[in-house]
Each structure stands twice: as C-alpha cells, then as structure tokens.
C-alpha cells in the first residue's frame, strides 16, 4: 500500500497526462499481478470494481470522528487542515503525521480485505471498528490515500481512461482492446489481469450487470 501511495503522490505532482500514464504503467509492471489488479481499481478512485454493487456505506461524519480519535483528539487541528486542504484524506495526513506509524506494515491485500469486511458489515459502529484497525497500522501517507479511496476522490488528476492507457502501455496491448475488455467486464482489475496474460479476447459481458 505504501508503494501505491507514493506512486499516487508522483502522479499528483505532474500535470501531463502522458507522464501520469507512464508512472502508472511503470508501477503496474513492478507489482505482482494480484496487487496490480487491486491497484488498478484503487487508482480509478473506486473501492470495488464498477460491476460490483457493494458499497462501503460509511459517512463523512464517522470518518471525521475516526480521524479525530486517531489523532489524539486534535479536532481543531483537523478543522484547520481541512479548511486549508478541502480534502479529508490530505487533512488527515497533516494531523496524523506526528502520530501514525513511520514504517509501513499494511498491504494492498489488507486494504482489500478491510473494504470487503466493511461492505459486509451492517452497523456504522462495526464499520468504524474495522476501519480503525486498518488506519491504526497505516502511515500518515497510507491513511491519506485509504480515505481518498473511501470517499471516491483521489484528486491526483487520474481517470479510469488513463488507467486503461497505462495497462495498454504496461503489458504491450492495443489500447482499443483494453478499452473493449473493460467495457464488457466493468472491472478494470480483471481487465488488467487479462492484458497481462494477453487474453483480452476472452473478455465476456457479465449477465445482469451494466456495461459501459
């Protein structure tokens, strides 16, 4: 997860779409296939693939309270950071920087598992408890991007279309084939796996799921 957060920072610092695509492609090539597939979903600002109807269903007020708790009750500092940043993830980074672990111990698989658990958990209190377990172990930078993914706004100038371009570049596949597979599957992570194995022609529409 730390590599993904660091890569997202690199993407945010450039305004050129070609550079953003190149950074994502380089990152995807460097990861194991399962991690690359999860990353493709997260870099598209989604907690789950587009075809997946599950939702995290955790509100902003609960996220706010959780960040305040993790920061040691520094609500005034969080409010000031939010006024400056206009983004909860970035504001959380500011207030957690001195409090959060400095070494990374959580993985992309950990984040994926927690998101799955949150989607399956009914009560807000239980969702918060699961997420707190994850954020307590996250560095400030990791917490920043976990919260951005949850709220659906990475704010790094990256769209799903650029992730498609990066997949095509990373695995040497025609962009049109990547786009068609993603349209049929509604799953950018699944599309990446097919591209990596050069099996894009095997993409099939999912019955009872919308397509692009």
């Amino acid at each position: 997860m730390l590599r993904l957060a660091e890569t997202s920072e690199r993407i945010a610092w450039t305004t050129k779409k070609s550079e953003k695509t190149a950074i994502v492609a380089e990152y995807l090539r460097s990861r194991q296939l399962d991690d690359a597939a999860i990353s493709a979903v997260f870099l598209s600002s989604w907690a789950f693939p587009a075809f997946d109807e599950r939702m995290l269903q955790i509100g902003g007020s609960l996220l706010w309270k959780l960040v305040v708790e993790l920061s040691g009750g520094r609500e005034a500092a969080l409010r000031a950071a939010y006024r400056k940043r206009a983004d909860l993830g970035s504001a959380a980074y500011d207030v957690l920087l001195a409090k959060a672990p400095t070494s990374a111990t959580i993985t992309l698989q950990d984040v994926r598992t927690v998101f799955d658990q949150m989607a399956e958990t009914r009560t807000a209190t239980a969702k918060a408890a699961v997420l707190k377990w994850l954020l307590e172990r996250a560095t400030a930078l990791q917490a920043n991007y976990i919260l951005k993914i949850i709220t659906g706004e990475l704010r790094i100038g990256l769209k799903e279309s650029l992730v498609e371009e990066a997949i095509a570049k990373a695995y040497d596949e025609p962009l049109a084939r990547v786009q068609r597979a993603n349209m049929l599957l509604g799953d950018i992570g699944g599309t990446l796996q097919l591209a990596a194995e050069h099996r894009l022609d095997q993409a099939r529409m999912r019955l009872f799921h919308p397509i692009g």
Side-chain angles (χ1 to χ4, degrees):
M1 183 64 201
L2 183 60
R3 284 285 303 280
L4 179 67
E6 291 172 341
T7 299
S8 297
E9 288 287 278
R10 288 181 61 199
I11 296 167
W13 278 105
T14 180
T15 58
K16 295 182 179 179
K17 290 183 179 180
S18 59
E19 290 185 7
K20 291 179 185 290
T21 302
I23 291 170
V24 176
E26 175 191 1
Y27 167 79
L28 294 177
R29 277 195 301 264
S30 71
R31 310 307 297 161
Q32 292 185 351
L33 190 54
D34 287 346
D35 281 352
I38 294 172
S39 297
V41 176
F42 290 170
L43 287 170
S44 299
S45 297
W46 293 333
F48 302 109
F51 82 89
D52 194 331
E53 298 178 353
R54 292 179 300 167
M55 299 178 66
L56 295 177
Q57 292 184 319
I58 185 166
S61 60
L62 191 56
L63 292 175
W64 182 278
K65 291 179 181 178
L66 189 54
V67 174
V68 170
E69 184 178 346
L70 291 170
S71 70
R74 300 178 61 209
E75 185 165 11
L78 181 59
R79 290 187 184 280
Y82 188 79
R83 283 195 297 269
K84 177 182 177 182
R85 301 275 205 161
D87 173 70
L88 181 58
S90 298
Y93 171 83
D94 289 345
V95 300
L96 294 176
L97 194 56
K99 191 84 173 178
T102 56
S103 58
T105 59
I106 63 170
T107 67
L108 284 166
Q109 294 290 346
D110 291 332
V111 179
R112 169 83 285 147
T113 298
V114 166
F115 284 176
D116 289 341
Q117 291 173 346
M118 289 174 65
E120 295 164 4
T121 302
R122 291 181 177 272
T123 69
T125 302
K127 290 178 187 290
V130 173
L131 182 56
K132 182 181 179 182
W133 176 90
L134 181 69
L135 293 178
E136 282 178 333
R137 290 155 179 78
T139 67
L141 186 61
Q142 288 175 320
N144 177 5
Y145 282 97
I146 289 169
L147 290 170
K148 286 178 184 290
I149 294 166
I150 290 172
T151 57
E153 293 187 39
L154 288 185
R155 298 192 177 191
I156 59 175
L158 194 67
K159 298 180 180 180
E160 184 188 46
S161 59
L162 292 183
V163 178
E164 288 177 334
E165 290 183 30
I167 291 172
K169 185 179 181 67
Y171 303 110
D172 195 24
E173 285 283 350
L175 175 59
R177 285 165 57 86
V178 173
Q179 291 171 329
R180 182 180 184 278
N182 191 36
M183 176 191 72
L184 291 172
L185 294 177
D187 181 359
I188 192 72
T191 299
L192 180 146
Q193 290 178 315
L194 291 180
E197 297 168 354
H198 303 291
R199 296 189 296 112
L200 287 170
D201 59 333
Q202 296 182 20
R204 297 291 184 269
M205 180 178 65
R206 302 174 190 269
L207 293 177
F208 309 111
H209 288 286
I211 64 173

